[in-house]
Amino acid sequence: MNDPPPKLNPDTGLLCLSDAAFGVFEQLAKRGGDLVDAPGLRGQMARLRAVSVLDSEDQIHPSLTSTLAAIRHAETELVLTGTERLARIWVAAPRAALLLPIDDSNLRRLTHLPLWMLPETISRIVGLGPRPRPAGPAVPLSTRGAGDTRSHWTLARIATRPGERDRDASLEIVDTAAGLWVVKPGDDGPMASPSDPTAVWRAIIRLVRPSDTAGQTSQVT
């Protein structure tokens, strides 16, 4: 087994672990003791016990209670993708759990935070900050060019309950030296429309709040 060993800070509840170990943790969060047997499951369970993430009865450490609750009772799940970063987010008001890469290794950082801090945290991850508003109308994304692109990221909101009022929604942004562009569907392919940090910030807030309606992309201008 080449995965790096998990690391738990029992004071803060910060857990660093591999994808394989997180897969076991997620099963424990969502399924309790009813785990689906898979290759490496016993080895990962032993690793989690070795660093006190699990006790001798396979109960999760108390410092992870809020993280566990956010994943187990998630009203909304979000996935943040980009050229260099990937985050998974679970929202169960008034808290959220966040899984982020640490570096180029196979380790991920799993933590929890109050829901009110989540929009600011996402904004820091994507580097949202002061930008000029690009001039001109919407243009086909294929013609925008990539020479001045700082980042291209998508925050996708995934409905977790059948028939719930909140539908799937997403926010796709191209961040350039000239400003921010929001990507929307068009008749002939994706279109990039000029936007600004305030509009993008508000769209992030709407996406992370479980009680808000979806279809947020069309509201960013």
Side-chain angles (χ1 to χ4, degrees), residues 5 23 27-28 75 92 145 167 199:
Q27 278 202 58
L28 287 166
E75 303 161 49
R167 304 182 305 276

Side-chain angles (χ1 to χ4, degrees), residues 25 42 48 70 81 104 110 124 143 154 161 178 184 193 214 221:
F25 185 92
R42 294 181 182 178
L48 292 172
T81 57
D104 293 334
L110 180 66
R124 286 202 308 268
T143 67
T154 300
R161 298 174 183 175
K184 306 177 184 180
S193 301
T221 57

